Every structure is written in structure tokens, then in C-alpha cells.
Amino acid sequence: PSNYLSAPRNRPEGKVLETVGVFEAPKQHGKYETGQLFLHSVFGYRGIVLFPWQARLYDRDVASPVTEKSENATGHGSKEVKGKTHTYYQVLIDARDCPHISQRSQTEAVTFLANHDDSRALYAIPGLDYVSHEDILPYSSTDQVPIQHELFERFLMYDQTKVPPFVARDTLCAWQEKNHPWLELSDVHRETTENIRVTVIPFYMGMREAQNSHVYWWRYCIRLENLDSEVVQLRERHWRIFSLSGTLETVRGRGVVGREPVLSKEQPAFQYSSHVSLQASSGHMWGTFRFERPDGSHFDVRIPPFSLESNKDEKTPPSGLHW
């Protein structure tokens, strides 16, 4: 039946499908709880919800109720976009699916600054992702360990009396409480140009002292989605980075993270993370991605402007996975 979720099981004589679980109806209202199993609707991986976040979504594709007449004279570039509340989830990705999605999405989506004073290192937690509410296709399973991830049994335990039957261990609650300033996403920015939708999620990562000055670090996660059937390829990026200290930096380069991804109907999305540092506590970034069509013509896709804000209250650096 079509409501059963299957996954290939590797066998020498070929791939055999095995039942993974049963699809449930996606929630139109409300939010998914800790322990909800799901299939990612864009990247196709199996995952489990750790906890929900409330984010502000600034969607430039949604027409503002403000009429053209009242828009200010400086032009469309200054239009104010109202943020609306939207649910995102911190999730674990099944390690068995990571190899299959690594060409489309970095599976080390969450990175931190190391919390040693003598270290500039960034470190990552593999198989942790941020997922929008509409990306979730919920399913249920009778398997007591349905997701393979090193943190699954440290964070969750099986309880057949609960729905879903996986509940947060104290370690998950403690980890969320301790690290939520570094995990929490607060703003999501979205804009579509010529059927290419760009979504940006910035995260503040903390401040470092270097040569008697402060350096502030942010990570930003970007998803590119082709909403059309025409194949396109990302060729160049062009960033403008404005710092509150008054500097404006321009960054140009080929591709992103060393790649020039192709977005097709079969594989419409690509997601990656990168980092930026400023010598001021805030700033903002915007820019364009240049895409190429099959006929060799190019077009530019806008990256929606997003602010880089340092968290106002001083926070202890992230503690990673050590309790």
C-alpha cells in the first residue's frame, strides 16, 4: 500500500525494500512533538524531531498589504518585510541516509566555535539539521530504535505508552537548556527570483578576542530550490557584507563551498552552510547567485538581505556534547 514507507536494504543480489513505517497525515495546525519520526519532503532522509523552535520568517515572496503609493521613494530595495512566526525543528538525520544526501545537503549543518580560549577551531555535530514545518512527512514505526545516530539513544528513550513513543531523556533537556543560545534559530529569510527560491538562516556563534579587538562570528545556512522544471546550474556567488563599524566588503567567487550544484526536477534543492566574521557586533549581508541555463545564458538570483546580530546578553560558549 502507498501509505507504507519503505527503504532499500542492501543485499548482494540487489536492493530489497523493507517496511520502515506507516505514513501519518501531516499536521496542518499545531506542531510536531519531540520524538516524531519523519521523512524529509525535499531531501528524502529519515529523521526524528528533537524539539521545535519558533522562528520569524521574513518572506519577500509574500506581497505586502502596503499599497505602492505609500512605499517610500528610495525604491524597492528598501521595502520592509514583516516577519511572521513559523515553526522549525531541530532534528537528527538517520546516519544510513547521510551518504545519499551528502551531494545535496551538508549533513554537518550545526557548527560551533570551540570553547577553549587558546583555540580558534570550529567544530560540527554531524547529522543535525533544521527543518521547516512543511518539510516534514510524519510516519510511525514499531521499531524501538528506528533512527541510527550516535545521539539517538543518548537523547531519546522508547516509551510505548506515549505518542509518539520516543521521549526526551534528561540529557536532551539539559543539552537544549545549556546550548540553546547557539542552537536556536530566530530569523529565516526567503526570496524567489525566476523560480529559484533562496532561504537563509543566520546563527550567531560567539565572539573571539584577537589582537586587542573583538571578532564576532556567524554561521549562515542557505537552501537553494528550483521551483521550475528547467535545469539550471549555480556558477558564481557575489556577496556584500556590511559591518556596523562602517566597512563594506565585496566577495566574489565561483560556486559555493567548492561546488557548482545543478538544480533539476529530480534533484531540485541544494543546502550548505558557511561562516562570516566581523569586527563589529552586528552588520548585514546580501547578494546574488549567478545561474546558467542549458542554452548558456545567465541570470542572477537575489539573496535576501539578512542581519547579523550578536546576542545581546553575554553567554557562556557552547559546551558541545560533554555533560
Side-chain angles (χ1 to χ4, degrees):
S2 59
N3 65 327
Y4 281 84
L5 172 61
S6 299
R9 184 173 61 210
N10 291 325
R11 288 257 184 96
E13 68 271 21
K15 289 185 173 173
V16 179
L17 289 177
E18 59 181 5
T19 302
V20 169
V22 181
F23 276 122
E24 300 171 343
K27 287 192 175 187
Q28 302 301 317
H29 307 288
K31 61 183 189 287
Y32 297 106
E33 301 298 329
T34 296
Q36 175 66 56
L37 294 166
F38 69 93
L39 194 67
H40 194 294
S41 67
V42 176
F43 295 111
Y45 63 71
R46 288 164 285 179
I48 192 163
V49 170
L50 292 181
F51 37 79
W53 293 125
Q54 290 302 309
R56 284 188 305 277
L57 174 63
Y58 296 91
D59 193 342
R60 290 174 173 263
D61 300 337
V62 177
S64 166
V66 178
T67 59
E68 292 296 316
K69 291 189 193 95
S70 63
E71 198 166 297
N72 76 32
T74 56
H76 68 277
S78 61
K79 69 176 180 183
E80 188 181 342
V81 181
K82 293 280 189 286
K84 66 174 194 291
T85 304
H86 196 72
T87 305
Y88 272 71
Y89 300 92
Q90 183 92 63
V91 307
L92 293 182
I93 303 173
D94 194 308
R96 292 166 293 188
D97 296 337
C98 284
H100 306 296
I101 62 167
S102 61
Q103 290 303 303
R104 311 306 305 166
S105 175
Q106 289 174 330
T107 53
E108 298 198 341
V110 176
T111 47
F112 295 115
L113 282 172
N115 61 346
H116 313 299
D117 293 335
D118 58 347
S119 167
R120 300 270 184 91
L122 294 169
Y123 66 93
I125 301 173
L128 213 56
D129 200 3
Y130 293 93
V131 178
S132 173
H133 184 82
E134 62 270 19
D135 288 339
I136 285 187
L137 298 173
Y139 73 91
S140 58
S141 171
T142 54
D143 190 344
Q144 293 194 16
V145 187
I147 298 295
Q148 287 186 16
H149 189 290
E150 59 180 334
L151 296 176
F152 179 82
E153 292 186 73
R154 287 171 78 176
F155 280 172
L156 298 155
M157 59 186 170
Y158 184 76
D159 181 346
Q160 63 182 28
T161 66
K162 297 286 197 303
V163 179
F166 305 99
V167 295
R169 290 183 185 271
D170 291 344
T171 44
L172 176 59
C173 303
W175 184 69
Q176 180 188 8
E177 183 63 33
K178 208 167 191 180
N179 287 312
H180 98 70
W182 314 95
L183 294 170
E184 186 168 17
L185 90 180
S186 56
D187 293 346
V188 178
H189 302 264
R190 196 156 72 189
E191 184 166 7
T192 304
T193 311
E194 299 204 31
N195 285 317
I196 305 296
R197 183 162 65 196
V198 179
T199 304
V200 185
I201 308 176
F203 299 85
Y204 177 56
M205 293 175 59
M207 181 266 290
R208 278 274 175 278
E209 291 191 31
Q211 287 96 45
N212 300 320
S213 69
H214 290 170
V215 179
Y216 297 82
W217 284 84
W218 289 264
R219 178 172 66 88
Y220 54 91
C221 183
I222 292 192
R223 186 193 293 184
L224 303 163
E225 285 176 274
N226 185 356
L227 307 178
D228 199 5
S229 55
E230 182 179 62
V231 178
V232 295
Q233 184 167 12
L234 190 155
R235 291 299 192 190
E236 295 172 32
R237 68 186 185 282
H238 180 198
W239 283 107
R240 311 277 284 182
I241 304 163
F242 177 77
S243 165
L244 190 66
S245 60
T247 59
L248 179 62
E249 188 183 354
T250 298
V251 179
R252 287 181 181 273
R254 289 197 61 85
V256 288
V257 292
R259 306 266 293 281
E260 295 182 21
V262 173
L263 304 182
S264 63
K265 196 168 187 179
E266 294 70 40
Q267 296 194 308
F270 181 80
Q271 184 171 292
Y272 75 96
S273 291
S274 192
H275 302 91
V276 62
S277 63
L278 300 177
Q279 289 188 308
S281 59
S282 66
H284 48 268
M285 291 175 64
W286 69 99
T288 53
F289 292 122
R290 175 154 289 191
F291 279 85
E292 185 177 343
R293 297 188 182 94
D295 65 7
S297 62
H298 292 85
F299 63 100
D300 286 338
V301 170
R302 288 186 299 277
I303 304 168
F306 57 96
S307 58
L308 302 169
E309 300 290 345
S310 57
N311 297 26
K312 302 296 177 283
D313 45 328
E314 279 308 305
K315 301 194 171 79
T316 55
S319 62
L321 299 176
H322 308 292
W323 290 281

